[in-house]
Amino acid sequence: MAEYHAVCGIIMFLVTQASAEVDPELTILVGSWNPGQIVQIKLSSSTATRVAVSNRPVAIDYDPVENTMYWTDVQLKQIRATDLTKGTTQLILALNDSAVPDGISVDSSSRKIFYTDTGNDIIAVMDMNGSNHDIIVTQELDEPRDIVLHEANRTMYWTDWATASYIARADYDGRNIRKIVTTGLGWPNGLTLDRNNGILYWCDAKTHKVESVTVEGTQRREILNEPGAHYFGISFHDGTLYFTDWKRLAILHIPAAGGTLGVIATTFLTQLAGIHVFSNRNSSGCLSGQYGKDCRQCGNCNEGTVCEKTTGFCIGGCKPGYQGTECRQVCTPGTYGERCVSTCGNCTGETCNHVNGTCPEGCIAGQRGHDCKTACPTNTYGSGCSPCGLCAGGVPCNTVSGVCPAGCQSGWTGDRCDRACLPNTYGVSCESCGQCAAAVPCDKSTGLCPAGCQDGWTGSLCKTMCSQGTYGTGCTSICSNCRTGSVCNHETGQCPAGCEPGWTGSKCDEECYPGTHGPMCSSLCSNCYTGTVSVCHHVTGQCPDGCQPGWTGARCDAACSSGTFGTTCSSVCHNCRTGSVCNHVTGQCPDGCKPGWVGVKCDEDENDEMGGKSSDTNLAVIGGSVGGAALLLVIVIVVVVIAIVLVRRKRRPRVKDTGPYETLQMVNQPIYSVATDLAPQYATVADVHTLDYSRLGRLGNAPRQDEDEDHVYSRPLSFIVNGESTQ
């Protein structure tokens, strides 16, 4: 498909008369129907002048000698002429009613006019004033259409759009007729000639083509093919073909060698017909792309087009960004593109590129596109139409600065709300998340912790510490026995200041180990009455089951008072040697007995021990020997003695040791070890020995309580066993 370029835009239609002077400028004469007229267009000045009024002008030619235009009118059936200098029109030839004068060509040198008559199927010739009329061709003519002359060779060429269309040649006198193109034709309406190179060009309304062939009928070439076009007239001038199309209100042009198709808009015309292009300057003979006497290079003519060879005028218009007749001037600042009619967009710099309108320094804020003519879409800003950040409430950001007027959506920050909050933050101000569990970040919008709170924290955002005295998951655990005046850690439950007396463990939720009590469980229980371990109350150190024999007090840490011993210190010492007291545990007299008393506790009458086992037995023997007569007396005496003994014993009770303590057997019996719950260093007698009764004196040197710093068992007891001291 051919590329179109509007070269001169809408050419102004000036209803004036022709100039009185011969203008050397490139000129186009074109006929138009409905209304019928012929217009003269001067390309370099972009002016158009109506030079003739005619009913239906078809073919046009020009005589440079007299600056006169000749044309045919198929409705008036006339050939007429207009002096372009004077602006006067005259009738040259009136034809009969059958005539249809379709084509005309002027030989300025021989002063002859040749024309075709489709109605009468003839080709005729006459003088410039219409005299000496002569029909020169009649044979094989069916629908003769356009005609062109090669003055130097005195040869004429014409088209015939009959059923078997063709292009033929003949001499000026009508002899030597020869058809040079007979195939591939439809309606070959227009015909023109490059006389210097001997090339014929024609346009065909039925095949929609522009083609060429040498005057000898060789080297046929297709130049343009536009399906749907209805070409009518064609004219060659200085390497360029100009032609009309009934379906377009425009004059088309293309380099004769082929190239880009150009368009000269003529919206003031209706249906275009014949065309003729000329310049009153002599052809320069320059190569294509050059012009003038010195063959200068053309200016910035439109792509694929060249300048007119005599004036340098760019027939196809200027390249985008250039202006002037020779297209050497760049567009004025603020304009660009074809014919410099486009206005620069909203560029940051002074102006846009004169060719394509791009803004080299970018767009002003709020605009985009290569030409900065497109406003940024909603929710964008700045010169590059950058996307707005996450503005709150769906309110767009400022199109220039990008600032969010209503603030940011939750989880975003910055003036433009284009920066995400850091990890573990949330909300419009990127507040820090609370103490979320499992290291899971909080919700960026609400701040809620999806996995709940860490131990020691509570509240909807997990920012509130457990209340004093609670800790752990959900703050449901109660602090244990922390030291008075302190609380446990709200996360772990540990007591940073230590435990209350009697408690241990990181959370102070464990009682002291058995046998200990008090602050930090550093105190040992004393002489509690228990099984294998002396267990006291873990806080107070008190002995819940009482004391071991020989000890008293709430903690069993006080020895029995002087003169008492045994369980609950309820036993009274017996007949210990004057100035001494018995052992507070066993009741033994360490310094021996008072005179008349024996036994480890000095609770046996020395006389009772030497006379026999008991007075009861002796009385019974006496009664047996004196006979029955004295039986009653003896019984009475026995009763009295027993009563006396019982009374005496009641006054001096024998303490029966219970629990883990055994009494010492003092009469040449083995001494057994004392069972105790205390550590080995507190044991009294560790081995079994035979006690020498005759050497038994003081039962060792057990320290007195009032001489002991801790208690009686703080040092081992000392006994003399078999002549040796044991510890």
Side-chain angles (χ1 to χ4, degrees), residues 649-683:
R649 288 184 176 179
K650 187 174 183 180
R651 223 177 27 243
R652 296 177 300 175
R654 294 173 61 94
V655 179
K656 181 179 180 181
D657 295 327
T658 60
Y661 301 98
E662 297 180 0
T663 58
L664 293 174
Q665 303 298 319
M666 306 303 293
V667 185
N668 294 326
Q669 297 296 322
I671 298 176
Y672 296 95
S673 63
V674 179
T676 178
D677 290 326
L678 300 177
Q681 64 266 32
Y682 298 120

Side-chain angles (χ1 to χ4, degrees), residues 10 31 78 96 167 193 199 202 214 287 361 374 417 421-422 452 592 614 632 656 684:
I10 299 175
Q78 295 175 353
N96 60 30
I167 299 175
L193 175 64
I199 300 176
W202 72 93
T214 66
L287 298 175
E361 298 181 23
T374 305
C417 302
C421 291
L422 295 175
S614 70
L632 181 59
K656 181 179 180 181
T684 56

Side-chain angles (χ1 to χ4, degrees), residues 93-409:
L93 179 66
L95 303 173
N96 60 30
D97 292 341
S98 300
V100 180
D102 264 356
I104 190 170
S105 186
V106 175
D107 184 341
S108 298
S109 59
S110 64
R111 308 306 295 165
K112 293 291 183 180
I113 298 174
F114 292 76
Y115 72 92
T116 63
D117 182 349
T118 301
N120 294 302
D121 293 330
I122 63 170
I123 297 176
V125 62
M126 59 183 174
D127 292 338
M128 299 292 285
N129 59 7
S131 61
N132 298 318
H133 185 275
D134 187 16
I135 298 174
I136 55 178
V137 178
T138 58
Q139 66 184 48
E140 297 189 30
L141 294 179
D142 190 359
E143 299 287 346
R145 170 65 182 86
D146 205 1
I147 188 170
V148 65
L149 304 176
H150 194 310
E151 295 91 341
N153 297 337
R154 296 183 64 81
T155 307
M156 61 181 174
Y157 304 86
W158 72 90
T159 65
D160 193 307
W161 52 276
T163 304
S165 301
Y166 64 88
I167 299 175
R169 67 167 298 282
D171 295 339
Y172 268 14
D173 57 5
R175 297 178 181 180
N176 299 319
I177 297 174
R178 182 168 67 88
K179 296 179 180 179
I180 58 177
V181 179
T182 58
T183 61
L185 299 175
W187 299 331
N189 283 335
L191 185 67
T192 190
L193 175 64
D194 176 2
R195 294 170 177 83
N196 292 335
N197 296 301
I199 300 176
L200 289 166
Y201 298 90
W202 72 93
C203 58
D204 194 314
K206 191 171 183 179
T207 64
H208 320 297
K209 294 179 180 179
V210 176
E211 296 185 78
S212 69
V213 71
T214 66
V215 293
E216 301 300 326
T218 62
Q219 302 179 30
R220 182 175 178 176
R221 184 169 61 90
E222 180 182 297
I223 298 172
L224 180 65
N225 185 345
E226 287 189 292
H230 193 110
Y231 302 131
F232 193 85
I234 189 167
S235 179
F236 173 87
H237 180 76
D238 258 356
T240 300
L241 296 172
Y242 301 84
F243 49 101
T244 60
D245 182 351
W246 273 7
K247 293 185 177 181
R248 281 180 282 196
L249 300 179
I251 297 171
L252 309 177
H253 58 87
I254 191 170
T260 302
L261 179 67
V263 178
I264 301 174
T266 57
T267 56
F268 54 86
L269 300 176
T270 52
Q271 190 171 3
L272 301 181
I275 185 171
H276 184 80
V277 180
F278 68 92
S279 172
N280 285 315
R281 291 182 180 180
N282 294 326
S283 179
S284 66
C286 297
L287 298 175
S288 179
Q290 299 176 342
Y291 75 99
K293 293 181 180 180
D294 53 356
C295 294
R296 288 179 292 169
Q297 288 293 324
C298 295
N300 297 286
C301 298
N302 220 342
E303 196 70 32
T305 67
V306 293
C307 65
E308 195 274 320
K309 290 186 178 181
T310 57
T311 64
F313 174 73
C314 290
I315 303 167
C318 302
K319 289 180 179 179
Y322 294 91
Q323 59 185 345
T325 58
E326 298 180 12
C327 302
R328 297 184 185 277
Q329 303 170 7
V330 298
C331 296
T332 55
T335 63
Y336 72 96
E338 293 185 7
R339 306 189 308 280
C340 298
V341 297
S342 298
T343 304
C344 291
N346 301 285
C347 301
T348 299
E350 294 182 357
T351 186
C352 64
N353 181 281
H354 67 282
V355 176
N356 54 29
T358 57
C359 296
E361 298 181 23
C363 306
I364 64 173
Q367 299 292 321
R368 65 172 179 169
H370 74 281
D371 55 2
C372 301
K373 290 185 176 181
T374 305
C376 290
T378 304
N379 287 322
T380 61
Y381 74 96
S383 59
C385 295
S386 302
C388 289
L390 284 97
C391 300
V395 179
C397 67
N398 183 282
T399 58
V400 176
S401 65
V403 173
C404 292
C408 304
Q409 293 182 21

Side-chain angles (χ1 to χ4, degrees), residues 406-447:
C408 304
Q409 293 182 21
S410 294
W412 296 87
T413 188
D415 291 341
R416 297 173 179 166
C417 302
D418 53 358
R419 299 199 311 271
C421 291
L422 295 175
N424 290 319
T425 60
Y426 72 96
V428 295
S429 57
C430 294
E431 295 182 48
S432 296
C433 289
Q435 305 295 322
C436 298
V440 178
C442 68
D443 183 274
K444 278 193 169 294
S445 296
T446 65

